[in-house]
Every structure is written in structure tokens, then in C-alpha cells.
């Protein structure tokens, strides 16, 4: 692909389409998507079975904890049951999200349905926060007038809960590193297991010393841990849904790497985002020197190879501009600039 002089506005696009109007491979505006999945994933059906088992286990546990809590008068046990109930709802949401996420892209969802798992994670962390604040309120109320608590019932039911929570955590452990949706579930169950340990300790102290105030204190401690866990993790899903730059990618390093390729004069209108959880994307306008414009296809290939190899960015959309006809006063990020858009640039 070569021109002896800079083309007139719109000429690059006109030359890059055939007579039917379809893009040819040499079109300067290029959209590219590498498959970037080097991880070994658990078979989807096996993962679904694990989540489904965890749903039923937590459902049965919730019933047992509510009954035990009412019989013993333990708010800590009921608090743990409420947490498990939110776990069951979270597991059901995650199960449905996993199924939906595997649907192929269509006319209504051209990027596919993968982000539903991020939405599910956001819902699950939000429910954790709501439950946490409710438990703080209930614990403070119980501290004012600690009720009598049946310690043995508390210890036995909490021990059963610990076993179920540990089972659920084990079922989701190998899956949580690959999915923010499953990670939310795993942290739910990990916090449940720790809460069950705290409830057991509280029950033992009540049995040994009749320290009734221990029960609401344990409740508040569980709530504080839940809130810390949820608030520290919820930022990830929010960042992705807000089209924030992918965590772990140094944006300026990427920009400088593109600028450093021979034939590139500058970049502007940069966007970093994520299509789905493990699919970072990069969009930008690339301004080429006169010599670079003559080697446009070669430079495009170099940029894409560099993005994939150095930064793990497999999805990129590049808009090429000649240095003599580039946007003036264009912002580095976003689509704003200080001058009216040049009519050559149709991608914003």
C-alpha cells in the first residue's frame, strides 16, 4: 500500500473499499481481535455442576441455621444464616450468568453476553454490603440488652455450617482465579467459613463463662469483615462496567511503545477498556509521518504484534492519519479536541 503524496480527505477510505462497498484488508481503519486465552479452563459443564451443588448445599444450610438460631436465641447464628441466604442467591445468580455468558454475539448484543458475569459480581458484592450494614445494626441493638443464648445449639449448627462453607469454597477455589463472578462467590463462602469459626468460638465462651455479650460482638465482627471484603472487591466490577482502563496495564507505557515505532509521529483519542473480564482492548488514532504512511500496513502489523506480545492486548482498533492532515489540538484520551473534527476521520 503506497501513495506518492498525502491523499485528499476521504481518499484513503475510498481506496480501501471494493466496488461492493466492503472493506479490503488494506483499509487504514483496522479492527483486530486476537484470541488471547492461554489459561487452562475448567470444562464449563463441570463448573456449572460445582456451582449447582453449592447452591443446594447452601440452601439446606440456611434452613438449618435459621431453625438453630431461633431455637437457641443466637443472633450470630441467624446472622450467619442471612449471609448464607445471600450466598445461595449469589450462587443462583452466578449460575444463570455463566449460562447466559456463553451465548454467541447477536444483533442485540454485538459484543456478546460475557459481561453478564461482571454484572452478577456487582450484584453479589452489593448484597454483601447490605447484609453487612444490617448485621451491624442488629449487633448493636443486642449489645444494649444481650439475650440468653443456648451455646450447644450454636456450636453444633455452626460446625455444620463450617463444613458446608468449606465444601463450597473448595468447589469454587479452582474457578475463582479466572472469573470475577466466581471470585465473588468464593469470597462469600470464605467469609462464611470464617464467620462460622467465630460463631463456634462465641458459643464455647457462652457455654464456659455465660458471656452473652459475646454473641452480638461476634455478629458485629462478622459484619465488619463482610463489609471490608465487599468494599475492597467491588471496585473491579464497577471499573470494568464504567469502561475504565484494565487493571494491571500501564497506559502510558503502551502509548509510548506505540509512539516509539518507526514511522509513527504521535497518537491521540486513546481508549483503554475491557470487552470482558480477561479481554483488554485498545482504540486509538495513529498519526503517521510521510514515510510511515507509505508503510502503513507494515506499521499496523508491528503495532498489533507489539500490543499482543508486550501488553497482552489482543483486541485493538486503529485509525490512521497522515501527519499533514491529522486532527489539530486532539486530546490524548477520549474523543474531545479543541478544533472541529477533520472530515477525513469518521471513527470517534
Amino acid at each position: 500500500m503506497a501513495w506518492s503524496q498525502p491523499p485528499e480527505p476521504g481518499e484513503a477510505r475510498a481506496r480501501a473499499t471494493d466496488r461492493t462497498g466492503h472493506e479490503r484488508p488494506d483499509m487504514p481503519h483496522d479492527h483486530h481481535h486476537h484470541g488471547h486465552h492461554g489459561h487452562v479452563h475448567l470444562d464449563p459443564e463441570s463448573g456449572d455442576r460445582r456451582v449447582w451443588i453449592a447452591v443446594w448445599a447452601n440452601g439446606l444450610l440456611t434452613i438449618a441455621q435459621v431453625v438453630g438460631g431461633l431455637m437457641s436465641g443466637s443472633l450470630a447464628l441467624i446472622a450467619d444464616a442471612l449471609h448464607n441466604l445471600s450466598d445461595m442467591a449469589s450462587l443462583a445468580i452466578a449460575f444463570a450468568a455463566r449460562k447466559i455468558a456463553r451465548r454467541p454475539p447477536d444483533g442485540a448484543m454485538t459484543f456478546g453476553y460475557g459481561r453478564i458475569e461482571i454484572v452478577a459480581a456487582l450484584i453479589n458484592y452489593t448484597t454483601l454490603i447490605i447484609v453487612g450494614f444490617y448485621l451491624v445494626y442488629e449487633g448493636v441493638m443486642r449489645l444494649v440488652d444481650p439475650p440468653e443464648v443456648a451455646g450447644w445449639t450454636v456450636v453444633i449448627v455452626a460446625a455444620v455450617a463450617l463444613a458446608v462453607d468449606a465444601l463450597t469454597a473448595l468447589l469454587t477455589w479452582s474457578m475463582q482465579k479466572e472469573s470475577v463472578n466466581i471470585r465473588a462467590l468464593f469470597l462469600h463462602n470464605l467469609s462464611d467459613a470464617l464467620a462460622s469459626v467465630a460463631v463456634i468460638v462465641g458459643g464455647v465462651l457462652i457455654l464456659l463463662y455465660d458471656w452473652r455479650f459475646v454473641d452480638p460482638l461476634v455478629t458485629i465482627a462478622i459484619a465488619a469483615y463482610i463489609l471490608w471484603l465487599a468494599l475492597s472487591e467491588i471496585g473491579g466490577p464497577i471499573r470494568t462496567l464504567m469502561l475504565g482502563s484494565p487493571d494491571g496495564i500501564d497506559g502510558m507505557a503502551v502509548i509510548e511503545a506505540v509512539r516509539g515505532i518507526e514511522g509513527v509521529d504521535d497518537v491521540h483519542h486513546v481508549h483503554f477498556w475491557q470487552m470482558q473480564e480477561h479481554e483488554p482492548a485498545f482504540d486509538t488514532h495513529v498519526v503517521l509521518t510521510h514515510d510511515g504512511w507509505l508503510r502503513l500496513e507494515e506499521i499496523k502489523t508491528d503495532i498489533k504484534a507489539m500490543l499482543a506480545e508486550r501488553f497482552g492486548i489482543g483486541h485493538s482498533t486503529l485509525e490512521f492519519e497522515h501527519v499533514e492532515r491529522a486532527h489539530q489540538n486532539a486530546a490524548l484520551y477520549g474523543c474531545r479536541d479543541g478544533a472541529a473534527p477533520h472530515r477525513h476521520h469518521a471513527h470517534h
Side-chain angles (χ1 to χ4, degrees), residues 243-262:
L243 296 179
S245 297
D247 191 29
I249 290 181
D250 185 341
M252 281 309 301
V254 175
I255 291 168
E256 291 303 323
V258 175
R259 286 172 172 167
I261 291 178
E262 185 178 356

Side-chain angles (χ1 to χ4, degrees), residues 295-308:
R295 301 186 298 107
L296 188 151
E297 284 297 320
E298 178 186 339
I299 291 173
K300 178 182 70 177
T301 301
D302 290 344
I303 291 173
K304 289 182 178 296
M306 179 273 295
L307 290 173

Side-chain angles (χ1 to χ4, degrees), residues 269-284:
H269 290 180
V270 172
H271 301 83
F272 292 99
W273 53 289
Q274 284 181 288
M275 292 178 64
Q276 297 176 20
E277 186 181 355
H278 299 293
E279 296 184 18
F282 174 65
D283 301 350
T284 190

Side-chain angles (χ1 to χ4, degrees), residues 43-256:
D43 175 70
E45 295 301 322
S46 298
D48 288 348
R49 281 195 296 272
R50 290 188 181 192
V51 175
W52 191 238
I53 291 169
V55 170
W56 280 103
N58 276 270
L60 295 173
L61 173 60
T62 299
I63 294 172
Q65 285 183 312
V66 169
V67 172
L70 293 174
M71 289 176 59
S72 66
S74 171
L75 176 64
L77 205 52
I78 294 176
D80 208 17
L82 283 175
H83 192 187
N84 269 299
L85 182 62
S86 74
D87 276 350
M88 185 181 174
S90 299
L91 284 159
I93 291 169
F95 181 80
R98 282 172 60 83
K99 292 284 191 182
I100 295 170
R102 292 198 287 270
R103 292 182 182 176
D106 55 34
M109 291 288 182
T110 57
F111 284 100
Y113 291 80
R115 277 198 175 187
I116 190 67
E117 290 204 82
I118 298 170
V119 174
L122 180 61
I123 292 171
N124 289 339
Y125 286 131
T126 302
T127 59
L128 267 178
I129 292 170
I130 293 170
V131 168
F133 279 117
Y134 172 73
L135 295 182
V136 169
Y137 168 77
E138 286 293 332
V140 171
M141 292 298 100
R142 285 285 186 110
L143 269 178
V144 176
D145 183 24
E148 187 173 345
V149 176
W152 275 116
T153 305
V154 171
V155 171
I156 293 170
V157 176
V160 173
L162 178 59
V164 174
D165 292 332
L167 169 65
T168 307
L170 285 172
L171 286 172
T172 54
W173 162 250
S174 63
M175 302 161 62
Q176 59 96 18
K177 295 180 181 179
E178 298 296 333
S179 168
V180 68
N181 179 27
I182 301 301
R183 179 166 173 77
L185 294 181
F186 174 75
L187 293 177
H188 256 283
N189 287 109
L190 180 63
S191 63
D192 271 350
L194 295 175
S196 295
V197 172
V199 171
I200 291 171
V201 172
V204 170
L205 291 174
I206 290 169
L207 282 171
L208 294 177
Y209 306 108
D210 195 29
W211 290 353
R212 287 184 289 173
F213 64 87
V214 169
D215 188 75
L217 285 178
V218 167
T219 301
I220 293 172
I222 293 171
Y225 177 72
I226 291 171
L227 288 172
W228 173 79
L229 196 65
L231 291 171
S232 63
E233 292 285 341
I234 199 172
I238 291 175
R239 183 187 183 95
T240 302
L241 293 174
M242 287 290 292
L243 296 179
S245 297
D247 191 29
I249 290 181
D250 185 341
M252 281 309 301
V254 175
I255 291 168
E256 291 303 323

